[in-house]
C-alpha cells in the first residue's frame, strides 16, 4: 500500500490535511461517468461541476462509511488562511455500494479555485456504527482531523485528490 500513499505524501495531503494511515478499502471517484480521479491529476473546474460518483470496494453489508471532500488551499495555496474549505459530507454509505446510497449531510459544492493550483481531497472513513453527524456552521476553516475525532471515525481508510486551477477563456476552448 506504500505506492498508494506516496502521491498523498508528495502532494502534502498527508501532513497538511491527514495523518499517516493504512488504506484498507478501495475508493473510486468518477466525474461525468468517465473521468476517474487519480492522485495529483488535473481537472478543469468545468469538468467537476456535477457531483461525482464515489464507489467503495472492500466493505461488507454491515459496514458504513463517511466521505468528506475538502480544499486545503483556500483562498490560495501560498496563504491558505481559510484552510480547509468543505465541499461535501456524506455519511452512512453502505460498504458495498456508492455514495448515492448514503446520507448527504453537506451538499456538494463544485470546485471554483481563484488563485493558484488547488488540491481537492476526498477522504473516506469507516464508521463504527450508523450515526448522525451535524453539519458544521461554515464551510471555511473546516478541519478533517477534528471532524474525524469529534465523530469517533478514527484514521481514514482511503483518500484521493485531484488538482484544479481557475480556467481562463483560452484554456476552455
Amino acid at each position: 500500500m506504500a505506492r498508494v500513499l506516496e502521491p498523498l505524501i508528495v502532494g502534502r495531503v498527508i501532513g497538511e490535511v491527514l495523518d499517516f494511515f493504512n488504506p484498507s478499502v478501495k475508493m473510486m471517484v468518477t466525474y461525468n461517468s468517465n473521468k476517474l480521479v487519480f492522485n495529483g491529476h488535473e481537472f478543469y473546474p468545468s469538468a467537476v461541476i456535477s457531483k461525482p460518483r464515489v464507489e467503495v470496494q472492500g466493505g461488507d453489508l454491515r459496514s458504513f462509511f463517511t466521505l468528506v471532500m475538502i480544499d486545503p488551499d483556500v483562498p490560495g495555496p501560498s496563504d491558505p488562511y481559510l484552510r480547509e474549505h468543505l465541499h461535501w459530507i456524506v455519511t452512512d454509505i453502505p460498504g458495498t455500494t456508492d455514495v448515492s446510497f448514503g446520507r448527504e449531510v453537506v451538499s456538494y459544492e463544485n470546485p471554483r479555485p481563484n488563485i493558484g493550483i488547488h488540491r481537492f481531497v476526498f477522504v473516506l472513513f469507516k464508521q463504527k456504527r450508523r450515526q448522525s453527524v451535524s453539519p458544521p456552521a461554515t464551510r471555511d476553516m473546516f478541519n478533517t482531523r477534528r471532524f474525524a475525532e469529534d465523530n469517533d471515525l478514527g484514521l481514514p481508510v482511503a483518500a484521493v485528490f485531484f488538482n484544479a486551477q481557475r480556467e481562463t477563456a483560452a484554456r476552455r476552448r
Side-chain angles (χ1 to χ4, degrees):
M1 288 288 187
R3 292 178 62 207
V4 173
L5 291 177
E6 188 175 323
L8 294 170
I9 294 168
V10 172
R12 298 178 336 274
V13 171
I14 292 179
E16 290 183 3
V17 179
L18 304 173
D19 293 325
F20 188 85
F21 68 97
N22 289 314
S24 58
V25 299
K26 186 174 183 180
M27 173 176 61
M28 293 185 357
V29 179
T30 311
Y31 279 96
N32 304 319
S33 74
N34 65 351
K35 293 179 175 69
L36 188 62
V37 174
F38 292 101
N39 283 318
H41 285 211
E42 185 170 346
F43 284 103
Y44 292 124
S46 59
V48 293
I49 291 172
S50 300
K51 124 176 44 168
R53 176 180 172 93
V54 180
E55 295 176 78
V56 177
Q57 299 172 346
D60 58 43
L61 293 172
R62 294 181 309 261
S63 55
F64 293 93
F65 297 88
T66 294
L67 175 77
V68 175
M69 178 187 176
I70 58 102
D71 174 355
D73 301 317
V74 175
S78 61
D79 185 19
Y81 63 86
L82 295 175
R83 170 178 292 165
E84 304 158 14
H85 183 81
L86 177 64
H87 281 268
W88 200 20
I89 296 179
V90 182
T91 63
D92 293 337
I93 304 163
T96 56
T97 61
D98 63 60
V99 170
S100 62
F101 292 96
R103 189 172 66 83
E104 193 172 62
V105 176
V106 175
S107 62
Y108 179 77
E109 179 184 84
N110 62 300
R112 292 185 301 268
N114 285 325
I115 305 163
I117 298 172
H118 289 237
R119 296 165 292 167
F120 294 90
V121 184
F122 294 89
V123 185
L124 190 70
F125 296 96
K126 185 171 184 178
Q127 298 173 201
K128 292 181 172 70
R129 63 200 163 289
R130 278 186 177 254
Q131 64 189 78
S132 62
V133 171
S134 299
T138 177
R139 289 182 185 255
D140 285 329
M141 301 184 86
F142 182 80
N143 185 297
T144 303
R145 288 180 178 106
R146 190 174 0 155
F147 173 80
E149 187 178 310
D150 292 349
N151 291 285
D152 196 25
L153 294 171
L155 291 172
V157 294
V160 66
F161 79 101
F162 69 89
N163 296 318
Q165 60 185 310
R166 184 176 179 183
E167 288 180 68
T168 62
R171 283 183 72 193
R172 276 187 238 146
R173 290 188 188 136

